[in-house]
Structures are given as C-alpha cells and as structure tokens.
Amino acid sequence: MSAPLLQLQDVHLSFRGIKALQGVSLDIPEGEITAVIGPNGAGKTSLFNCISGLYVPTQGQILFQGAPISGQPPHLIARGGVARMFQNLALFDHLTVLENLLLGRHHLFRSRWWGDLFYSGQTRREEIAHRARVEEIIDFLDLESFRPFPVGILPYGVRKRVELGRALAMEPRLLLLDEPAAGLNTEETEDLARYVLDIKEELGITQILIEHDLHFVFDLADSVAVLDFGTRVAHGAPAEVKNDPKVIEAYIGGSHMEIAS
C-alpha cells in the first residue's frame, strides 16, 4: 500500500489557551475524496488553515508527499501542489473569468521581468501555453459562455465555479474545498457534485472536502473524518460514519436518528 499523500500527525492548535485542534491525526490517500465534517466550531477551517500554511500548529506535524510542510509560508505550500477553494469568494471582480483563472498560474510562469517588459519570444510562448491550459479548464467547468465577462457581474453559482477553476489552474496534487456548496441552489449543488467527481476521475486530483450539506458529503466522499471540539471522533467509510454513536452525539446530542439517511 502506497504512503498517504497527506499526513496529519498529532496536530494541535491553540489561541491564547483556546484549543482549536487537539491531537488530530489523519491520513489522506492519494486520488480519493476525503470529507471533514463536524458541528460549527469543531475545528474544520482551522485544520485547512494549518494545511495551507495560514496557521502554524502548536504541536505535531503535517507531511505532504512525505515531506514536512508545517511552518512553511502559504505561497511555498501552494507552489508545492496544494490549492484551496475558499468558502468566501476571493476573486477579482473587475477581471474577467479568463483573467481570474490565469492568476492561478502565476507561480508556474518562468519568464524573467525583462522578457515580460519586451514581450520576448519565450514570454509569448509561455503565455500561449498557459492560456491554452486555462481554456481547457474553462471547457471542463462549462464556463465558455462567461469567459469574457467581469466576474463581479456573474451569478453566485458561476462565481463559485470560477473560484474552483482558479484552484485547478494551479495544477495541484491536493485540492482543499472549503464548503463549496454553501449558498448554491439544488441544481447548482448537483452540478458541483459532478465537477468534484470529474476532478477525481478525470484529473486524478486528491481532494479534501469541508461541507455542511451531509447528503452532498455522503454521496461523494470515499471516506469521512468527523471533528468535534477540535478532536477527531470518527474516520471511515461514509456508511460507517453516519451511524457512529459518537458522530450522532456530536451532531444531535445523543438522539439515535440516522444522519443524512
């Protein structure tokens, strides 16, 4: 069995005595969709912030492709192959869909400033290649009809797709999806589910998913990890996790109803 793509080993995170994460250990297999769920305040976003370098764990370590990344700045972690789709959109409203996606490739540009200044042959060739890749992502996410428009005038569901596309433009090996279905209607959520599966099956990108829509989670995830008060209380196949008494206790206070049945 191959080593996990990402490993969290006894990760702790505290803020002035407040324990956001308490000894979280988790292996993320390559090529799979792993969901991280839990009630509000369980530590899910703190976990993502540790993985992406926004927070530095107070204890424990995080390994990506076998190498420690804890404490590295976010831009180096992103350059190493970790991309994130944010819950709150972080797009440039005045730029077009195409331009927002191109920004996701900034760390892949290799031309020098003088080449950019004089628009040298190398710079032109590199820009053409990056634009071609972005056009593939536009086609993959069905954004063709929106590509020339400023993102700020587009419907919210389309902007969510652009946010996803910009993360894909970074050519990640690991994609962090922070509540991607939040604010979407039923049809948009179904479309997003299809894109998430296509990313797994066609692009082979490993994904970690934070989401409150449990039907969305249990339909898509290969495995589900549950956090409660910063502690991992369960991890396993969706069918096992949703009927785990500790998970039911975390969500609905001990009632023996099934979750997302």
Side-chain angles (χ1 to χ4, degrees):
M1 184 176 179
S2 60
L5 180 66
L6 182 78
Q7 294 174 283
L8 291 89
Q9 300 177 342
D10 192 33
V11 174
H12 293 251
L13 181 68
S14 298
F15 300 99
R16 296 183 179 181
I18 298 175
K19 297 180 179 180
L21 296 172
Q22 303 184 65
V24 175
S25 295
L26 190 63
D27 289 348
I28 306 297
E30 188 162 12
E32 294 189 5
I33 300 171
T34 301
V36 178
I37 65 172
N40 288 329
K44 305 181 297 296
T45 299
S46 293
L47 191 70
F48 264 21
N49 287 341
C50 287
I51 295 170
S52 58
L54 294 176
Y55 294 162
V56 178
T58 51
Q59 182 181 323
Q61 66 175 341
I62 300 173
L63 304 177
F64 179 60
Q65 301 181 93
I69 60 172
S70 305
Q72 288 189 14
H75 72 278
L76 290 183
I77 292 175
R79 186 180 299 170
V82 179
R84 181 173 180 176
M85 178 186 178
F86 288 89
Q87 175 186 356
N88 298 317
L89 299 177
L91 301 170
F92 292 90
D93 287 349
H94 63 288
L95 298 181
T96 67
V97 170
L98 177 66
E99 290 166 339
N100 268 280
L101 266 59
L102 278 170
L103 284 171
R105 302 190 66 78
H106 73 280
H107 69 293
L108 299 171
F109 277 82
R110 297 292 178 261
S111 60
R112 303 293 184 179
W113 67 267
W114 57 84
D116 297 339
L117 180 64
F118 295 105
Y119 202 49
S120 67
Q122 178 185 351
T123 298
R124 286 196 299 272
R125 289 190 295 272
E126 190 171 9
E127 182 175 335
I128 289 170
H130 285 302
R131 282 180 175 269
R133 177 59 183 136
V134 165
E135 293 291 356
E136 291 175 0
I137 294 170
I138 287 174
D139 182 63
F140 181 79
L141 294 176
D142 300 313
L143 289 168
E144 177 60 35
S145 60
F146 306 104
R147 62 186 297 282
F149 295 107
V151 166
I153 69 171
L154 298 177
Y156 183 75
V158 175
R159 296 171 70 194
K160 278 273 193 175
R161 266 188 279 161
V162 177
E163 178 83 13
L164 176 58
R166 187 175 59 181
L168 291 177
M170 296 176 66
E171 304 290 352
R173 290 197 64 185
L174 175 64
L175 179 59
L176 307 178
L177 302 175
D178 193 349
E179 297 193 33
L184 301 183
N185 60 35
T186 301
E187 182 179 354
E188 291 168 337
T189 300
E190 291 173 353
D191 289 340
L192 178 66
R194 174 169 56 86
Y195 295 131
V196 169
L197 288 176
D198 287 346
I199 289 169
K200 171 191 171 184
E201 296 169 1
E202 297 182 25
L203 304 183
I205 297 174
T206 306
Q207 300 169 78
I208 307 179
L209 167 69
I210 291 176
E211 184 54 62
H212 285 291
D213 185 336
L214 296 185
H215 291 283
F216 186 88
V217 166
F218 291 129
D219 285 345
L220 293 179
D222 297 294
S223 64
V224 179
V226 185
L227 299 183
D228 190 29
F229 293 107
T231 302
R232 195 194 84 183
V233 297
H235 183 210
E240 300 170 358
V241 167
K242 71 178 180 179
N243 292 314
D244 188 308
K246 290 178 291 185
V247 178
I248 296 171
E249 174 71 28
Y251 270 95
I252 50 180
S255 171
H256 292 288
M257 295 169 57
E258 286 193 351
I259 298 175
S261 58

